[in-house]
Coordinates of all heavy atoms in Angstrom, one line a residue:
G338 N -10.3 49.1 -10.3 CA -9.5 48.6 -11.4 C -8.1 48.2 -10.9 O -7.5 47.2 -11.3
Y339 N -7.6 48.9 -9.9 CA -6.3 48.6 -9.3 C -6.4 47.2 -8.6 O -5.5 46.4 -8.8 CB -5.9 49.7 -8.3 CG -4.5 49.7 -7.9 CD1 -3.6 50.7 -8.5 CD2 -3.9 48.9 -7.0 CE1 -2.3 50.7 -8.2 CE2 -2.6 48.9 -6.6 CZ -1.8 49.9 -7.2 OH -0.4 49.9 -6.9
G340 N -7.5 47.0 -7.9 CA -7.6 45.8 -7.2 C -7.8 44.6 -8.1 O -7.4 43.5 -7.9
M341 N -8.6 44.8 -9.2 CA -8.7 43.8 -10.2 C -7.4 43.3 -10.7 O -7.1 42.0 -10.8 CB -9.5 44.3 -11.4 CG -11.0 44.3 -11.2 SD -11.9 44.9 -12.7 CE -11.4 43.7 -13.9
T342 N -6.5 44.2 -11.1 CA -5.2 43.8 -11.6 C -4.4 43.2 -10.5 O -3.6 42.2 -10.8 CB -4.5 45.1 -12.1 OG1 -5.3 45.8 -13.1 CG2 -3.2 44.7 -12.8
Q343 N -4.4 43.6 -9.3 CA -3.7 43.0 -8.2 C -4.1 41.5 -8.1 O -3.3 40.6 -8.0 CB -3.9 43.7 -6.9 CG -3.2 45.0 -6.8 CD -3.4 45.6 -5.4 OE1 -4.6 45.7 -5.0 NE2 -2.4 46.0 -4.7
L344 N -5.4 41.3 -8.1 CA -5.9 39.9 -8.0 C -5.4 39.0 -9.1 O -5.0 37.9 -8.9 CB -7.4 39.9 -7.9 CG -8.2 38.6 -7.5 CD1 -9.5 39.0 -6.9 CD2 -8.4 37.7 -8.7
Y345 N -5.5 39.6 -10.3 CA -5.1 38.8 -11.5 C -3.6 38.5 -11.4 O -3.2 37.3 -11.7 CB -5.4 39.6 -12.8 CG -4.9 39.0 -14.0 CD1 -5.6 37.9 -14.6 CD2 -3.8 39.4 -14.7 CE1 -5.2 37.3 -15.8 CE2 -3.3 38.8 -15.8 CZ -4.0 37.8 -16.4 OH -3.6 37.2 -17.5
L346 N -2.8 39.5 -11.1 CA -1.3 39.2 -11.1 C -0.9 38.3 -9.9 O 0.0 37.5 -10.1 CB -0.6 40.6 -10.9 CG -0.7 41.6 -12.0 CD1 0.0 42.9 -11.7 CD2 -0.2 41.0 -13.3
R347 N -1.6 38.3 -8.8 CA -1.3 37.4 -7.7 C -1.6 36.0 -8.2 O -0.9 35.0 -7.9 CB -2.2 37.7 -6.5 CG -1.6 38.8 -5.6 CD -2.2 38.8 -4.3 NE -3.7 38.9 -4.3 CZ -4.4 40.1 -4.3 NH1 -3.7 41.2 -4.2 NH2 -5.7 40.1 -4.3
Q348 N -2.7 35.8 -8.9 CA -3.1 34.4 -9.3 C -2.1 33.9 -10.3 O -1.7 32.8 -10.3 CB -4.5 34.5 -9.9 CG -5.6 34.7 -9.0 CD -5.8 33.5 -8.0 OE1 -5.5 32.4 -8.3 NE2 -6.3 33.8 -6.8
R349 N -1.6 34.8 -11.2 CA -0.7 34.4 -12.3 C 0.7 34.1 -11.6 O 1.3 33.1 -12.0 CB -0.5 35.5 -13.3 CG -1.8 35.7 -14.1 CD -2.1 34.6 -15.0 NE -1.3 34.6 -16.2 CZ -0.7 33.5 -16.8 NH1 -0.9 32.3 -16.2 NH2 0.0 33.6 -17.8
A350 N 1.1 34.9 -10.6 CA 2.4 34.6 -10.0 C 2.3 33.3 -9.2 O 3.4 32.7 -9.0 CB 2.7 35.8 -9.0
A351 N 1.2 32.9 -8.7 CA 1.1 31.7 -7.9 C 1.0 30.4 -8.9 O 1.0 29.3 -8.4 CB -0.2 31.7 -7.1
G352 N 1.0 30.6 -10.2 CA 1.0 29.5 -11.1 C -0.3 29.2 -11.7 O -0.4 28.3 -12.5
S353 N -1.3 30.0 -11.4 CA -2.6 29.8 -12.1 C -2.5 30.1 -13.6 O -1.8 31.0 -14.0 CB -3.7 30.7 -11.4 OG -3.8 30.4 -10.1
S354 N -3.3 29.4 -14.3 CA -3.4 29.7 -15.7 C -4.1 31.0 -16.0 O -4.9 31.5 -15.1 CB -4.0 28.6 -16.5 OG -5.4 28.5 -16.2
E355 N -4.0 31.6 -17.1 CA -4.7 32.8 -17.5 C -6.2 32.6 -17.4 O -7.0 33.4 -16.9 CB -4.3 33.2 -18.9 CG -4.9 34.6 -19.3 CD -4.4 34.9 -20.7 OE1 -3.3 35.5 -20.8 OE2 -5.2 34.7 -21.7
K356 N -6.6 31.4 -17.8 CA -8.1 31.1 -17.8 C -8.6 31.0 -16.4 O -9.7 31.5 -16.1 CB -8.3 29.7 -18.5 CG -9.7 29.3 -18.6 CD -9.9 28.0 -19.4 CE -11.3 27.6 -19.4 NZ -11.5 26.3 -20.2
E357 N -7.8 30.4 -15.5 CA -8.3 30.3 -14.1 C -8.3 31.6 -13.4 O -9.3 31.9 -12.7 CB -7.3 29.4 -13.3 CG -7.4 27.9 -13.7 CD -6.3 27.1 -13.0 OE1 -5.2 27.6 -12.8 OE2 -6.6 25.9 -12.6
A358 N -7.3 32.5 -13.7 CA -7.3 33.8 -13.0 C -8.5 34.6 -13.5 O -9.2 35.3 -12.7 CB -6.0 34.5 -13.3
V359 N -8.8 34.6 -14.8 CA -9.9 35.4 -15.4 C -11.2 34.8 -14.9 O -12.2 35.5 -14.6 CB -9.8 35.4 -16.9 CG1 -11.1 36.0 -17.5 CG2 -8.6 36.1 -17.4
G360 N -11.3 33.5 -14.7 CA -12.5 32.8 -14.2 C -12.8 33.3 -12.8 O -14.0 33.5 -12.5
I361 N -11.8 33.5 -11.9 CA -12.1 34.0 -10.6 C -12.6 35.4 -10.7 O -13.6 35.8 -10.0 CB -10.8 34.0 -9.8 CG1 -10.4 32.5 -9.5 CG2 -10.9 34.7 -8.4 CD1 -9.0 32.4 -8.8
L362 N -12.0 36.3 -11.5 CA -12.5 37.6 -11.7 C -13.9 37.7 -12.2 O -14.7 38.5 -11.8 CB -11.6 38.4 -12.6 CG -10.3 38.9 -11.9 CD1 -9.3 39.4 -13.0 CD2 -10.6 40.0 -10.9
R363 N -14.2 36.7 -13.1 CA -15.5 36.7 -13.7 C -16.6 36.3 -12.7 O -17.7 37.0 -12.6 CB -15.6 35.7 -14.9 CG -16.9 35.7 -15.6 CD -16.9 34.6 -16.7 NE -15.9 34.9 -17.7 CZ -14.8 34.1 -17.9 NH1 -14.7 33.0 -17.2 NH2 -13.9 34.4 -18.8
R364 N -16.3 35.4 -11.8 CA -17.2 35.0 -10.7 C -17.4 36.2 -9.8 O -18.5 36.5 -9.3 CB -16.7 33.8 -10.0 CG -16.9 32.5 -10.7 CD -16.7 31.3 -9.9 NE -15.3 31.2 -9.4 CZ -14.3 30.6 -10.0 NH1 -14.5 30.1 -11.2 NH2 -13.1 30.6 -9.6
R365 N -16.3 36.9 -9.5 CA -16.4 38.0 -8.6 C -17.3 39.1 -9.2 O -18.2 39.7 -8.5 CB -15.0 38.6 -8.4 CG -14.9 39.9 -7.5 CD -13.5 40.2 -7.3 NE -13.3 41.4 -6.5 CZ -12.9 42.6 -7.0 NH1 -12.6 42.7 -8.3 NH2 -12.7 43.6 -6.2
S366 N -17.2 39.4 -10.5 CA -18.0 40.4 -11.1 C -19.5 40.0 -11.1 O -20.4 40.8 -10.8 CB -17.5 40.6 -12.6 OG -16.2 41.0 -12.6
L367 N -19.8 38.7 -11.4 CA -21.2 38.3 -11.5 C -21.8 38.3 -10.1 O -23.0 38.8 -10.0 CB -21.2 36.9 -12.0 CG -20.9 36.7 -13.5 CD1 -20.8 35.2 -13.9 CD2 -21.9 37.4 -14.4
W368 N -21.1 38.0 -9.1 CA -21.6 38.0 -7.7 C -21.8 39.4 -7.3 O -22.7 39.7 -6.5 CB -20.8 37.2 -6.8 CG -21.1 35.7 -6.8 CD1 -20.2 34.7 -7.3 CD2 -22.3 35.1 -6.5 NE1 -20.9 33.5 -7.2 CE2 -22.1 33.7 -6.7 CE3 -23.5 35.6 -5.9 CZ2 -23.1 32.8 -6.4 CZ3 -24.5 34.6 -5.7 CH2 -24.3 33.3 -5.9
L369 N -20.9 40.3 -7.7 CA -21.1 41.8 -7.3 C -22.4 42.3 -8.0 O -23.1 43.1 -7.3 CB -19.9 42.6 -7.8 CG -18.6 42.5 -6.9 CD1 -17.5 43.3 -7.5 CD2 -18.9 43.0 -5.5
I370 N -22.7 41.9 -9.2 CA -24.0 42.3 -9.8 C -25.1 41.8 -9.0 O -26.1 42.6 -8.7 CB -24.0 41.8 -11.2 CG1 -23.0 42.5 -12.1 CG2 -25.4 42.0 -11.8 CD1 -22.9 41.9 -13.5
V371 N -25.1 40.6 -8.5 CA -26.2 40.0 -7.7 C -26.3 40.7 -6.4 O -27.4 41.1 -6.0 CB -25.9 38.5 -7.5 CG1 -27.0 37.9 -6.5 CG2 -26.0 37.7 -8.8
I372 N -25.2 40.9 -5.7 CA -25.2 41.6 -4.4 C -25.7 43.0 -4.6 O -26.5 43.6 -3.8 CB -23.8 41.6 -3.8 CG1 -23.4 40.1 -3.4 CG2 -23.8 42.4 -2.5 CD1 -22.0 40.0 -3.0
G373 N -25.2 43.7 -5.7 CA -25.6 45.1 -5.9 C -27.1 45.2 -6.2 O -27.8 46.1 -5.6
L374 N -27.7 44.3 -6.9 CA -29.1 44.4 -7.2 C -29.9 44.1 -5.9 O -31.0 44.8 -5.7 CB -29.5 43.5 -8.3 CG -29.0 43.9 -9.7 CD1 -29.4 42.8 -10.7 CD2 -29.6 45.2 -10.1
A375 N -29.5 43.2 -5.1 CA -30.1 42.9 -3.8 C -30.0 44.1 -2.9 O -31.0 44.5 -2.2 CB -29.5 41.7 -3.2
H376 N -28.9 44.7 -2.9 CA -28.7 45.9 -2.1 C -29.6 47.1 -2.5 O -30.2 47.8 -1.7 CB -27.2 46.4 -2.2 CG -26.9 47.6 -1.3 ND1 -26.0 48.5 -1.8 CD2 -27.3 48.0 -0.1 CE1 -25.9 49.5 -0.9 NE2 -26.7 49.2 0.1
A377 N -29.7 47.3 -3.8 CA -30.6 48.3 -4.4 C -32.0 48.0 -4.0 O -32.8 49.0 -3.7 CB -30.4 48.4 -5.9
S378 N -32.5 46.8 -4.2 CA -33.9 46.5 -4.0 C -34.2 46.6 -2.5 O -35.3 47.1 -2.2 CB -34.1 45.0 -4.4 OG -33.8 44.9 -5.8
L379 N -33.4 46.2 -1.6 CA -33.7 46.2 -0.2 C -33.5 47.5 0.5 O -34.3 47.9 1.4 CB -32.9 45.1 0.5 CG -33.1 43.7 0.1 CD1 -32.2 42.7 0.7 CD2 -34.6 43.2 0.3
L380 N -32.4 48.3 0.1 CA -32.0 49.4 0.9 C -31.7 50.7 0.2 O -32.2 51.7 0.5 CB -30.8 49.0 1.8 CG -31.0 47.9 2.8 CD1 -29.7 47.5 3.4 CD2 -32.0 48.4 3.9
M381 N -30.8 50.6 -0.8 CA -30.4 51.8 -1.4 C -30.3 51.7 -3.0 O -29.5 50.9 -3.5 CB -29.0 52.2 -0.9 CG -28.5 53.6 -1.3 SD -26.9 54.0 -0.8 CE -25.9 53.3 -2.1
A382 N -31.1 52.6 -3.6 CA -31.2 52.5 -5.1 C -29.9 52.9 -5.7 O -29.6 52.5 -6.9 CB -32.3 53.4 -5.6
G383 N -29.1 53.8 -5.1 CA -27.9 54.3 -5.7 C -26.7 53.3 -5.6 O -25.6 53.8 -5.5
D384 N -27.0 52.1 -5.5 CA -25.9 51.1 -5.3 C -24.9 51.2 -6.5 O -25.3 51.4 -7.7 CB -26.5 49.7 -5.2 CG -25.4 48.6 -5.3 OD1 -24.8 48.3 -4.2 OD2 -25.1 48.1 -6.3
I385 N -23.6 51.0 -6.2 CA -22.6 51.0 -7.2 C -22.0 49.7 -7.5 O -21.2 49.5 -8.4 CB -21.5 52.0 -6.9 CG1 -20.9 51.7 -5.5 CG2 -22.0 53.5 -6.9 CD1 -19.7 52.6 -5.1
L386 N -22.3 48.7 -6.7 CA -21.7 47.4 -6.8 C -22.1 46.7 -8.2 O -21.2 46.1 -8.9 CB -22.1 46.4 -5.7 CG -21.6 46.9 -4.3 CD1 -22.1 45.9 -3.2 CD2 -20.1 47.0 -4.2
G387 N -23.4 46.7 -8.5 CA -23.8 46.2 -9.8 C -23.2 46.9 -10.9 O -22.7 46.2 -11.9
F388 N -23.1 48.2 -10.9 CA -22.5 49.0 -11.9 C -21.0 48.5 -12.2 O -20.6 48.2 -13.3 CB -22.5 50.5 -11.6 CG -21.9 51.4 -12.5 CD1 -22.6 52.0 -13.6 CD2 -20.5 51.7 -12.4 CE1 -22.0 52.8 -14.5 CE2 -19.9 52.5 -13.3 CZ -20.6 53.1 -14.3
Y389 N -20.2 48.5 -11.1 CA -18.8 48.1 -11.2 C -18.7 46.6 -11.5 O -17.7 46.2 -12.1 CB -18.1 48.5 -10.0 CG -17.9 50.0 -9.9 CD1 -18.5 50.7 -8.8 CD2 -17.2 50.7 -10.8 CE1 -18.3 52.1 -8.7 CE2 -17.1 52.1 -10.8 CZ -17.6 52.8 -9.7 OH -17.5 54.1 -9.6
G390 N -19.6 45.8 -11.1 CA -19.5 44.4 -11.4 C -19.7 44.2 -12.9 O -18.9 43.4 -13.5
L391 N -20.6 44.9 -13.6 CA -20.7 44.8 -15.0 C -19.5 45.4 -15.8 O -19.0 44.8 -16.7 CB -22.0 45.5 -15.5 CG -22.4 45.3 -16.9 CD1 -22.5 43.8 -17.3 CD2 -23.7 46.1 -17.3
M392 N -19.1 46.6 -15.3 CA -17.9 47.2 -15.9 C -16.7 46.2 -15.8 O -16.0 46.1 -16.8 CB -17.6 48.5 -15.2 CG -18.7 49.6 -15.4 SD -18.7 50.3 -17.0 CE -17.3 51.4 -17.0
S393 N -16.5 45.6 -14.7 CA -15.3 44.8 -14.5 C -15.5 43.5 -15.3 O -14.5 42.9 -15.8 CB -15.1 44.4 -13.0 OG -16.2 43.7 -12.5
L394 N -16.7 43.0 -15.5 CA -16.9 41.8 -16.3 C -16.5 42.1 -17.8 O -15.8 41.3 -18.4 CB -18.4 41.5 -16.3 CG -18.8 40.2 -16.9 CD1 -18.3 39.0 -16.1 CD2 -20.4 40.0 -16.9
V395 N -16.9 43.3 -18.3 CA -16.5 43.6 -19.7 C -15.0 43.9 -19.8 O -14.4 43.4 -20.7 CB -17.4 44.8 -20.2 CG1 -17.0 45.2 -21.6 CG2 -18.9 44.4 -20.2
L396 N -14.5 44.8 -18.9 CA -13.1 45.2 -19.1 C -12.2 44.0 -18.7 O -11.1 44.0 -19.3 CB -12.9 46.4 -18.1 CG -13.7 47.6 -18.5 CD1 -13.4 48.7 -17.5 CD2 -13.3 48.1 -19.9
G397 N -12.6 43.1 -17.8 CA -11.7 42.0 -17.6 C -11.6 41.1 -18.8 O -10.5 40.5 -19.0
W398 N -12.6 41.0 -19.6 CA -12.6 40.2 -20.8 C -11.9 40.9 -21.9 O -11.1 40.3 -22.6 CB -14.0 39.9 -21.2 CG -14.2 39.3 -22.6 CD1 -13.6 38.2 -23.1 CD2 -14.9 39.9 -23.7 NE1 -13.9 38.0 -24.4 CE2 -14.7 39.0 -24.8 CE3 -15.7 41.0 -23.8 CZ2 -15.3 39.3 -26.0 CZ3 -16.3 41.2 -25.1 CH2 -16.1 40.4 -26.1
L399 N -12.1 42.3 -22.1 CA -11.5 43.0 -23.2 C -10.1 43.4 -23.0 O -9.3 43.4 -23.9 CB -12.4 44.2 -23.5 CG -13.7 44.0 -24.2 CD1 -14.4 45.4 -24.3 CD2 -13.5 43.4 -25.6
V400 N -9.7 43.9 -21.8 CA -8.5 44.7 -21.6 C -7.5 44.1 -20.7 O -6.3 44.2 -20.9 CB -8.9 46.1 -21.2 CG1 -7.6 47.0 -21.1 CG2 -9.9 46.7 -22.1
L401 N -8.0 43.5 -19.6 CA -7.1 43.1 -18.5 C -5.9 42.4 -18.9 O -4.8 42.6 -18.4 CB -7.9 42.4 -17.4 CG -7.1 42.1 -16.1 CD1 -6.7 43.4 -15.4 CD2 -8.0 41.2 -15.2
R402 N -6.0 41.4 -19.8 CA -4.9 40.5 -20.2 C -4.0 41.1 -21.3 O -3.0 40.4 -21.7 CB -5.4 39.2 -20.6 CG -6.1 38.4 -19.5 CD -6.9 37.2 -20.0 NE -8.1 37.6 -20.7 CZ -8.9 36.8 -21.4 NH1 -8.6 35.5 -21.5 NH2 -10.0 37.2 -21.9
R403 N -4.3 42.2 -21.8 CA -3.6 42.8 -22.9 C -2.2 43.3 -22.5 O -2.0 43.5 -21.3 CB -4.4 43.9 -23.6 CG -5.8 43.6 -23.9 CD -5.9 42.4 -24.8 NE -7.3 42.0 -25.0 CZ -7.7 40.9 -25.5 NH1 -6.8 39.9 -25.7 NH2 -9.0 40.7 -25.7
S404 N -1.3 43.5 -23.4 CA 0.0 44.0 -23.1 C -0.1 45.5 -22.7 O -1.1 46.1 -22.8 CB 0.9 43.9 -24.4 OG 0.4 44.7 -25.4
D405 N 1.1 46.0 -22.2 CA 1.1 47.4 -21.8 C 0.8 48.3 -23.0 O 0.2 49.3 -22.9 CB 2.5 47.7 -21.2 CG 2.7 47.1 -19.8 OD1 1.7 46.7 -19.2 OD2 3.8 47.2 -19.3
R406 N 1.4 47.9 -24.1 CA 1.1 48.7 -25.3 C -0.3 48.8 -25.7 O -0.9 49.8 -26.0 CB 1.9 48.2 -26.5 CG 1.8 49.0 -27.8 CD 2.7 48.5 -28.9 NE 2.6 49.3 -30.1 CZ 3.3 49.0 -31.2 NH1 4.1 48.0 -31.2 NH2 3.1 49.8 -32.3
A407 N -1.0 47.6 -25.7 CA -2.4 47.6 -26.0 C -3.2 48.3 -24.9 O -4.2 49.0 -25.3 CB -2.9 46.1 -26.0
L408 N -2.8 48.2 -23.7 CA -3.5 49.0 -22.6 C -3.4 50.5 -22.9 O -4.4 51.2 -22.7 CB -3.0 48.6 -21.3 CG -3.5 49.4 -20.1 CD1 -5.0 49.2 -19.9 CD2 -2.8 49.0 -18.8
G409 N -2.2 50.9 -23.3 CA -2.1 52.3 -23.7 C -3.0 52.8 -24.8 O -3.6 53.9 -24.7
W410 N -3.2 51.9 -25.8 CA -4.1 52.3 -26.8 C -5.5 52.3 -26.3 O -6.3 53.2 -26.8 CB -4.0 51.2 -28.0 CG -2.8 51.5 -28.9 CD1 -1.7 50.8 -29.0 CD2 -2.8 52.6 -29.9 NE1 -0.9 51.4 -30.0 CE2 -1.5 52.4 -30.5 CE3 -3.7 53.6 -30.3 CZ2 -1.1 53.3 -31.5 CZ3 -3.3 54.5 -31.3 CH2 -2.0 54.3 -31.9
W411 N -5.9 51.4 -25.5 CA -7.3 51.4 -24.9 C -7.5 52.7 -24.1 O -8.6 53.3 -24.2 CB -7.5 50.2 -24.0 CG -7.9 49.0 -24.8 CD1 -7.2 47.9 -25.1 CD2 -9.3 48.7 -25.3 NE1 -8.0 47.0 -25.8 CE2 -9.3 47.5 -25.9 CE3 -10.5 49.5 -25.2 CZ2 -10.4 46.9 -26.5 CZ3 -11.6 48.9 -25.8 CH2 -11.6 47.7 -26.5
I412 N -6.5 53.1 -23.4 CA -6.6 54.4 -22.6 C -6.8 55.5 -23.5 O -7.7 56.4 -23.3 CB -5.4 54.6 -21.7 CG1 -5.4 53.5 -20.6 CG2 -5.4 56.0 -21.1 CD1 -4.2 53.5 -19.7
A413 N -6.1 55.6 -24.6 CA -6.2 56.7 -25.6 C -7.6 56.6 -26.2 O -8.2 57.7 -26.4 CB -5.1 56.5 -26.7
I414 N -8.1 55.4 -26.6 CA -9.4 55.3 -27.2 C -10.5 55.8 -26.2 O -11.4 56.6 -26.6 CB -9.7 53.9 -27.6 CG1 -8.7 53.5 -28.8 CG2 -11.1 53.7 -28.0 CD1 -8.8 52.0 -29.1
A415 N -10.4 55.4 -25.0 CA -11.4 55.8 -24.0 C -11.4 57.3 -23.7 O -12.4 57.9 -23.6 CB -11.1 55.0 -22.7
T416 N -10.2 57.9 -23.7 CA -10.1 59.3 -23.5 C -10.7 60.0 -24.7 O -11.4 61.0 -24.5 CB -8.6 59.7 -23.4 OG1 -8.0 59.0 -22.3 CG2 -8.5 61.2 -23.1
A417 N -10.5 59.6 -25.9 CA -11.1 60.2 -27.1 C -12.6 60.1 -27.0 O -13.3 61.0 -27.4 CB -10.5 59.5 -28.4

Side-chain angles (χ1 to χ4, degrees):
Y339 199 100
M341 279 181 63
T342 306
Q343 284 182 312
L344 191 155
Y345 175 78
L346 294 178
R347 279 196 304 268
Q348 291 293 332
R349 296 290 285 139
S353 299
S354 68
E355 185 178 277
K356 182 179 179 180
E357 288 174 327
V359 172
I361 293 172
L362 282 168
R363 185 181 301 114
R364 285 193 296 274
R365 179 175 180 253
S366 300
L367 292 173
W368 279 112
L369 283 176
I370 294 173
V371 173
I372 295 171
L374 290 177
H376 181 217
S378 302
L379 297 174
L380 296 170
M381 193 185 81
D384 173 83
I385 55 175
L386 297 176
F388 177 93
Y389 288 117
L391 185 59
M392 294 287 281
S393 63
L394 189 67
V395 175
L396 296 178
W398 168 57
L399 282 177
V400 185
L401 185 63
R402 294 169 286 174
R403 309 306 177 195
S404 65
D405 286 350
R406 183 177 180 181
L408 177 59
W410 278 107
W411 274 104
I412 291 174
I414 292 170
T416 303

